[in-house]
Amino acid sequence: MNKIIIVICFNILFSLNSYAMKSNDYIISIKHATNDSDYYSSVGVEVIHRKLNSYLGFSVNSSIGYARVTDTFDYQHGFIAWEGGIKIGYFSNFSLYAEFGVDLLELAFNDRSDDDYSYNNKRYSTDFENDNFDHHYNDNDSDGYIGIGSSMMIEQIKVTAFVRFREISGYNWQAKNYAFSGIELAVVF
């Protein structure tokens, strides 16, 4: 129940569009982050909130995409990621920010669909059957990230370079790579 309340509060915060003495930018973006053969690709939206005539502020963002991540046994997992995050920093034609966020699907539903499946009314673990089971690691904590980024904006097009450090796990596995670097292309309204 607490997880659903968190998601509802995040969406309410995200939907705040304008209020007195504020200046907001609305952004639609595509982003791609990689580390070796691992990647996150997504489409997202963002709202930047700041005081009128100020470049300091924060943004709330959400994106949905697909990820492929290699675990410590060199087995690659694919999954859908619905991420929500907050950026804090300087937002102008040149922007610099720090960010953090979580995978909202795992937060809301504790999704373990990439780890287990049913066949003929029996339950199997794909990780266990592929000898990809770490008996010492059996959590599926909600994935999260922290990062930094910088962007340049020309007219209404914004290009951002970023680095994120991610906690990525499944029910029986832990990601091999934690650092992802990427690029984001966006249209600002």
Side-chain angles (χ1 to χ4, degrees), residues 59-188:
S59 76
V60 180
N61 59 68
S62 180
S63 64
I64 190 158
Y66 184 74
R68 297 222 24 109
V69 176
T70 305
D71 67 15
T72 54
F73 293 103
D74 290 329
Y75 180 76
Q76 200 165 53
H77 302 266
F79 54 92
I80 293 174
W82 174 34
E83 297 181 327
I86 295 177
K87 297 177 183 177
I88 300 169
Y90 179 84
F91 299 98
S92 179
N93 289 340
F94 170 78
S95 298
L96 186 62
Y97 63 85
E99 66 178 336
F100 64 92
V102 296
D103 186 328
L104 296 173
L105 278 178
E106 279 193 340
L107 185 65
F109 304 111
N110 200 15
D111 182 24
R112 296 179 177 177
S113 60
D114 62 337
D115 296 323
D116 299 327
Y117 70 93
S118 296
Y119 182 72
N120 288 340
N121 295 325
K122 293 184 180 177
R123 199 128 187 92
Y124 297 95
S125 170
T126 56
D127 292 326
F128 186 76
E129 289 178 350
N130 289 312
D131 198 25
N132 188 24
F133 183 78
D134 184 351
H135 298 282
H136 303 291
Y137 186 83
N138 57 12
D139 294 339
N140 187 18
D141 296 331
S142 296
D143 297 348
Y145 66 86
I146 60 170
I148 57 171
S150 179
S151 64
M152 291 291 295
M153 190 165 72
I154 301 171
E155 299 292 322
Q156 289 185 281
I157 305 297
K158 183 169 91 165
V159 177
T160 304
F162 61 89
V163 174
R164 287 181 175 168
F165 297 95
R166 295 181 170 274
E167 163 61 32
I168 308 167
S169 61
Y171 182 63
N172 299 326
W173 60 274
Q174 183 73 26
K176 186 177 191 177
N177 299 315
Y178 296 100
F180 287 77
S181 60
I183 191 162
E184 174 184 47
L185 298 173
V187 177
V188 180

Side-chain angles (χ1 to χ4, degrees), residues 20-33:
M21 301 300 294
K22 299 292 179 182
S23 173
N24 298 327
D25 289 335
Y26 305 93
I27 299 170
I28 298 174
S29 64
I30 58 172
K31 64 180 87 166
H32 185 75

